[in-house]
Amino acid sequence: MPDLLLELFSEEIPARMQAKAADDLRRMVTDKLVAEGLVYEGAKAFATPRRLALTVHGIPARQSDLKEERRGPRVGGADAAIQGFLKATGLARIEDAKIQTDPKKGDFYIALIEKPGRATLDVLAEILPVIVRTFPWPKSMRWGERSAKSGSLSWVRPLHSIIATFGPETEEPDVVKFSVDGIEAGQTTFGHRFMAPAAISVRRFEDYEAKLKAAKVVLDSQARKDIILADAKQLAFAQGFELVEDQVLLDEVAGLVEWPVALMGSFDEEFLSIPGEVIRATIRNNQKCFVVSDPKTGKLTNKFILTANIEATDGGKTIIGGNERVIRARLSDAKFFYETDLKTKLEARLPKFEQIVFHEKLGTQAERIKRIERLAAEIAPLVGADVEKAKRAAHLAKADLLTEVVGEFPELQGLMGKYYAQAQGEDASVAAASEEHYKPQGPADRVPTDPVSVAVALADKIDTLVGFWAIDEKPTGSKDPYALRRAALGVIRLIVENALRLPLLNVAESTMVGLPAKGDAQKLPGDLLSFFADRLKVQLRDQGARHDLVDAVFSLGGQDDLLLVVRRVEALGKFLDTDDGKNLLAGTKRASNILAIEEKKDKRTFDGAPDTGLYNLPEEKALASAIDQVKGEAGSAVAKEDFASAMSAMAKLRPAVDAFFDKVKVNDDEPKVRENRLKLLNEVRAATRAVADFSKIEG
């Protein structure tokens, strides 16, 4: 079956746009093909700095013929309706239509329309120019004389040529005939801008890829990444060093070159006095180069690796020299910033925060720092942290935001605070908290374990959550401008992974005291707790737990000890995997369903203790006895936070519940007996609520 080759050759496409553009091209073309009834076998898209390319193989040579029956007006209907039907179906006269009988509505005209399929080449000539013109670039431009005309092509960078060929492997492919803004589709592309700029004529994907490689263009971005990574590692290894790998930088650099050539340069050793992260940020951000470490010490060396886009005749000396000059200048600036920062104590910077607004409804940064300091002091005893160290750490944690280095490299906030705190002789835990109080920032980020860091991290995140909840700036749908979901997940991970017992409701209420905006003081803590429940469900679901079990535990009310919630959920999950658990769940849900129906019918609840004198059957007495036993054992186990034992106690209800439903008629004809048996079922429901609300559990 025939294959399609499409290439859009332009000036340099920004690296950050290439991957999505390749995916968009594949999606747009294949969606259009399928919409036209042309089902393909496979498709793959590629991007380099100067081209987007797509190969789609296994496309039918033409569309299938279509046969369609269209129902028309009733026989003997109005002439206007008949004429409209003829025009819509292309029939010359009404006698050419068939007549179909409807037993209820009479006879109707039916037109059999046969639509022959078109050649795929013609379909492609129709859809490809539309795709080019409507391509969803984040930013685009117009150029040249044509840009002055209305409707001229808009593209990410000036588009120079288009390849569009279609045909089977065994034959010479056809060129898909179309043009966009004066650019005619053909079979010509161009090689590397400097090393092989001549025109190249291609037929199909196989020779297209091979000829590009011969013309110093590696088409596949993953292949370019593999070359860069392997060559960079080899360069470092040859001198006894190790490459500091950086996937984000690798992705970007692979989008800057068509023919990657790794080269090693160096800088003056005096710059190694700067923290390694500053060196890396400087070299990475300004020159898109990798840094190198010494495996013996784990520290950076005065080497860097760049990726050139050319095999230079001088072996790369000129390219290396140019990069070394720029990096020397950038590192000189960084060294100056760092040494300047060290001259000012962190606390001396804090008064500036009084003029910096954190949020118009939540006050200044200075006010927020005071809130975090107070809250960290309250949380410290709950997490085993020294109160004074926690207060000091919270006092200094944000100070590095006003330093020169963080101003230049915002991604180093916190880390630089740690270095500056260490330099001015702060306690190790206080210094570490400057960096760690931002953590964890994502599911892959580590969770702090130092109690001081944990206290400040919790205070920072809880203040953020309570503050924005108080001013009703909650996440909505996909929008979360203040990263409140991330903050809540951070609190959950800090608590659970450090096995902390933290009463969230009390902490939230305490946080509200220092806020300029109070919000609904009655509603806010509970509403925020529901948000934590939702985030915890996401967290546990990612770990394989069931979200309905979280609901079952939170439904008990007042469940703000997240560690206990997790332990209850874990114990409940294990219990429900047993036969006793499954059967007890079925029995309990049956009891809850019966109660719900009867309570709705009687417009009352069946609270209160059953009358033992009204037990007529041994199964009633056995269930009542089992409930009394389970209440005591489960309640005692829950009080000791031994949820596994509580579940074992609950399992003893199972045979009594099974026997009750097997032998006892709940809705007895005698009203008092009926009421008593419903109260007994309510006791089952109440007993199981010692560990969870079984009605919330699915299944």
Side-chain angles (χ1 to χ4, degrees), residues 533-534 536-537 540 545-555 565 569 572:
D534 290 339
L536 183 59
K537 277 190 278 187
L540 293 177
R546 288 167 44 180
H547 68 87
D548 56 325
L549 303 189
V550 182
D551 284 334
V553 173
F554 268 107
S555 293
V565 170
V569 169
L572 186 57

Side-chain angles (χ1 to χ4, degrees), residues 236-248:
F237 179 75
Q239 297 201 26
F241 302 134
E242 285 183 350
L243 176 74
V244 177
E245 295 188 37
D246 186 330
Q247 185 62 49
V248 175

Side-chain angles (χ1 to χ4, degrees), residues 109 125 127 196 314 445 549 659:
Y109 289 115
I127 66 175
D314 63 355
D445 199 11
L549 303 189

Side-chain angles (χ1 to χ4, degrees), residues 281 285 400-401 404-415 438:
N285 294 9
D400 71 332
L401 294 175
E404 298 286 346
V405 170
V406 174
E408 184 74 13
F409 305 112
E411 68 271 23
L412 297 182
Q413 67 180 28
L415 178 66
Y438 289 108

Side-chain angles (χ1 to χ4, degrees), residues 56-101:
V56 186
H57 61 274
I59 309 173
R62 63 183 305 107
Q63 296 172 316
S64 300
D65 296 340
L66 295 177
K67 292 184 178 181
E68 176 188 358
E69 282 190 353
R70 185 174 298 181
R71 183 167 173 170
R74 183 182 283 108
V75 174
D79 185 62
I82 291 174
Q83 292 303 317
F85 174 61
L86 292 175
K87 184 176 181 181
T89 57
L91 296 179
R93 54 193 187 131
I94 197 62
E95 287 77 12
D96 294 334
K98 292 182 178 181
I99 297 175
Q100 187 177 76
T101 300

Side-chain angles (χ1 to χ4, degrees), residues 348-465:
R349 301 180 184 278
L350 296 177
K352 289 185 180 179
F353 281 128
E354 293 173 6
Q355 279 75 51
I356 298 175
V357 175
F358 171 67
H359 189 282
E360 60 180 354
K361 294 181 181 179
L362 295 174
T364 64
Q365 276 281 20
E367 291 171 324
R368 181 166 187 261
I369 290 169
K370 288 178 182 176
R371 293 199 303 271
I372 295 172
E373 191 175 340
R374 180 183 63 81
L375 191 56
E378 288 185 22
I379 293 174
L382 303 175
V383 301
D386 181 278
V387 173
E388 291 305 314
K389 288 181 181 179
K391 287 173 65 177
R392 178 66 175 170
H395 185 65
L396 299 178
K398 304 292 184 184
D400 71 332
L401 294 175
L402 298 174
T403 62
E404 298 286 346
V405 170
V406 174
E408 184 74 13
F409 305 112
E411 68 271 23
L412 297 182
Q413 67 180 28
L415 178 66
M416 296 313 300
K418 179 183 77 172
Y419 283 129
Y420 296 141
Q422 289 172 339
Q424 67 183 43
E426 298 292 339
D427 178 86
S429 292
V430 171
S434 291
E435 177 186 12
E436 294 186 335
H437 82 282
Y438 289 108
K439 296 181 177 294
Q441 293 189 334
D445 199 11
R446 69 179 179 84
V447 173
T449 56
D450 184 287
V452 172
S453 294
V454 171
V456 181
L458 286 169
D460 181 34
K461 292 169 177 60
I462 292 172
D463 176 79
T464 298
L465 286 160

Side-chain angles (χ1 to χ4, degrees), residues 360-363 367 371 374 463 465-474 508-528:
E360 60 180 354
K361 294 181 181 179
L362 295 174
E367 291 171 324
R371 293 199 303 271
R374 180 183 63 81
D463 176 79
L465 286 160
V466 174
F468 284 108
W469 237 253
I471 62 173
D472 200 28
E473 289 282 359
K474 306 169 191 175
E509 288 169 358
S510 177
T511 305
M512 290 170 60
V513 174
L515 290 174
K518 304 299 182 188
D520 187 335
Q522 298 298 317
K523 183 182 176 184
L524 190 150
D527 190 28
L528 184 57

